[in-house]
Amino acid sequence: MEKTIGFIGCGNMGAALARAVRKTVDGAAILLADLDAEKCASLAKELDAKISSAEEIAKTAYAIVLGVKPQALEKTLVPLTALLAERKDKFFFVSMAAGTPIDRIAGYVGASYPTVRIMPNLPAAIGEGMILYTLKNTCSSCEQFFRSAFREVGTLDEIPEGMMDAAAALSGCGPAFVALFAEALADGAVACGVPREKAQLYAEKTILGTARYLIESGMHPAVLKDAVCSPGGTTIAGVEALENAGFRAATASAVTAAFEKTKKL
């Protein structure tokens, strides 16, 4: 019998992960549960998956994906405590609850079950996500199943839990910062007379191409910047303008501000 993976919570990110998992897992092995029955039914039809319930998933799923918001986690898990305790078979949690340590999840369910804590980001919706993960009490088969099921979500990278919130301030919040940068690049081109539609495309493709170049070449960003900046040229004039405006400091401050907010939450 194929191992099942159950999603408790099918919001934007939960649904995105379910779609990615569907590329590697048969629809019949995917269980979906959400308070919004219509949304759940629509996603189940799309993925040829099974409409389920939190209780059924808690009783039967091998991987239990917690896709509810952090503030709803306790309310979701406490009623499932007895069902989980009755299980004799192996199972594990996959939690995407931001700012929620694995030990807190254990406190909600009254036991330290095997858990994979993940922090995905929005590009996971198109299979280009940066998925941070950390493990606790898991076995090799749990991790192997997790990595296999989620391999189409994007890049999976294990990180110590103590670094999770800091790293997520970059990878989780970063898409908003990059989108803001893309919009600003396009605005600049529009101010110079380029039509908005073209300016937006040029900005997006420039960001995408540069990111791919850095990854595939292994080049340090500073080296790439220097390579593009000809002496007395146009690019170095633009770099100088960014430096004068505090671009690098502002960008770093955005990440640290997101991290500080996460700690407060």
Side-chain angles (χ1 to χ4, degrees), residues 19 32 36-49 51:
R19 291 187 179 99
L32 304 175
D36 188 329
E38 185 176 343
K39 180 191 297 183
C40 187
S42 176
L43 184 62
K45 182 178 180 180
E46 175 190 338
L47 304 182
D48 195 23
I51 299 174

Side-chain angles (χ1 to χ4, degrees), residues 62-87:
Y62 177 58
I64 302 172
V65 182
L66 304 175
V68 299
K69 295 184 182 299
Q71 57 268 33
L73 202 55
E74 181 176 11
K75 183 179 179 180
T76 300
L77 286 175
V78 171
L80 305 178
T81 300
L83 296 175
L84 294 167
E86 291 172 359
R87 292 187 62 165

Side-chain angles (χ1 to χ4, degrees), residues 117-141:
R117 179 184 170 191
I118 67 172
M119 182 49 60
N121 62 6
L122 185 60
I126 59 168
E128 292 290 345
M130 182 67 248
I131 315 301
L132 313 175
Y133 76 93
T134 191
L135 310 166
K136 189 163 187 179
N137 301 321
T138 59
C139 60
S140 59
S141 61

Side-chain angles (χ1 to χ4, degrees), residues 66 73-74 77-78 80-81 84-85 91 93 95 97 100-117 136-137 161:
L66 304 175
L73 202 55
E74 181 176 11
L77 286 175
V78 171
L80 305 178
T81 300
L84 294 167
F91 69 93
F93 288 118
S95 172
T100 305
I102 293 174
D103 285 346
R104 190 180 305 168
I105 295 171
Y108 293 153
V109 294
S112 296
Y113 296 116
T115 301
V116 181
R117 179 184 170 191
K136 189 163 187 179
N137 301 321
E161 187 171 26

Side-chain angles (χ1 to χ4, degrees), residues 17 20-21 24 94 116-121 124 127-135 142-159 164 171:
L17 294 182
V21 166
T24 61
V94 178
V116 181
R117 179 184 170 191
I118 67 172
M119 182 49 60
N121 62 6
E128 292 290 345
M130 182 67 248
I131 315 301
L132 313 175
Y133 76 93
T134 191
L135 310 166
C142 292
E143 182 179 7
Q144 184 177 2
F145 180 86
F146 162 73
R147 290 191 63 88
S148 175
F150 282 78
R151 67 181 183 271
E152 293 295 331
V153 177
T155 300
L156 299 171
D157 190 61
E158 185 177 2
I159 188 171
M164 177 74 77
S171 63

